[in-house]
Amino acid sequence: ALGNLGVAWAALGEVRKAIEYYEQNLTIARETGDRRGEGSVLGNLGAAWTDLGEVRKAIEYNEQHLTIARETGARRGEGNALGNLGVAWSALGEVRKAIGYYEQHLTIAREIGDRHGEGAALGNLGNTWIALGDGHKAIEYFEQHLTIAREIGDRQGEGIALFSSAISLKGLGQIAEAATFAQAALEIFTEIESPRAETVRKWLEAS
């Protein structure tokens, strides 16, 4: 219940309040020997500290989550921890290190049939290739992410993949095509009432 309250507060943007609940949950999980529960809440703490920009702190929690996930055979948890470590290292500018984590996440997601995780890993890999200046390679990953998002009905993922493709296309000088992708992303984000709609709208106005 405490863990659910933490997730609820995090969803409302009350990250510090979420952390208080996660820490209580962590104490209980450790006292009762619930290793999987401990791993899960460590992952939540890693995500929360990432949201607050405390990336090195987040890495410590995500590494603990990864260790426990591997010990307990929690493959989805292992994949999520690897993905979160990739996000953290990318935030610190260690893009090639991030790629290694994302590729491991992608491998696990495919092995266990985690389509949502597979899409997320592909999207993250695309973002790292944008950061490394290879727009063509980035688009290849975004196209795969887009295909999966559509297959599983992940509207948010579909919008993200479309907008990421638009950014890559603009970087390659394909302005008209970029605008088409961004407009499609805007329609999805507006439909699902995502705050990302405003970001895309401003991007289109500036393009």
Side-chain angles (χ1 to χ4, degrees):
L2 288 170
N4 292 339
L5 282 166
V7 171
W9 282 113
L12 292 169
E14 295 278 356
V15 182
R16 291 199 180 273
K17 194 165 256 188
I19 286 170
E20 288 176 26
Y21 284 106
Y22 292 147
E23 286 178 342
Q24 291 176 60
N25 209 27
L26 183 61
T27 301
I28 292 166
R30 286 175 169 162
E31 284 174 354
T32 58
D34 176 9
R35 292 289 276 165
R36 283 207 178 200
E38 182 183 352
S40 178
V41 75
L42 286 165
N44 287 337
L45 280 161
W49 286 111
T50 299
D51 286 345
L52 291 174
E54 297 272 359
V55 182
R56 294 205 176 272
K57 199 165 203 171
I59 287 170
E60 289 176 24
Y61 283 110
N62 287 321
E63 284 179 341
Q64 290 178 66
H65 180 200
L66 180 61
T67 299
I68 290 172
R70 285 176 168 162
E71 283 175 6
T72 60
R75 296 286 278 160
R76 189 183 294 262
E78 182 182 356
N80 290 340
L82 288 162
N84 289 337
L85 281 164
V87 170
W89 284 110
S90 186
L92 290 173
E94 297 273 1
V95 181
R96 293 203 177 271
K97 192 165 192 170
I99 286 172
Y101 284 110
Y102 292 145
E103 286 178 342
Q104 290 179 73
H105 182 198
L106 182 60
T107 299
I108 289 172
R110 284 175 169 163
E111 283 175 4
I112 66 173
D114 175 10
R115 298 289 276 162
H116 195 276
E118 183 181 356
L122 289 163
N124 284 331
L125 281 162
N127 290 335
T128 56
W129 285 107
I130 287 181
L132 291 170
D134 192 337
H136 290 288
K137 196 160 192 171
I139 286 170
E140 288 175 23
Y141 284 109
F142 294 141
E143 284 175 346
Q144 292 178 71
H145 182 198
L146 182 60
T147 299
I148 290 171
R150 284 175 170 161
E151 283 176 7
I152 64 175
D154 175 11
R155 297 290 278 162
Q156 172 111 324
E158 185 180 353
I160 290 169
L162 286 164
F163 186 46
S164 298
S165 297
I167 293 167
S168 299
L169 288 161
K170 186 182 179 186
L172 294 169
Q174 297 176 35
I175 307 301
E177 197 175 352
T180 302
F181 274 80
Q183 190 61 46
L186 177 59
E187 286 171 15
I188 289 170
F189 289 142
T190 302
E191 179 193 314
I192 64 173
E193 299 181 354
S194 167
R196 294 174 194 266
E198 190 56 31
T199 304
V200 180
R201 195 173 287 111
K202 285 179 180 171
W203 188 88
L204 278 164
E205 286 170 2
S207 295

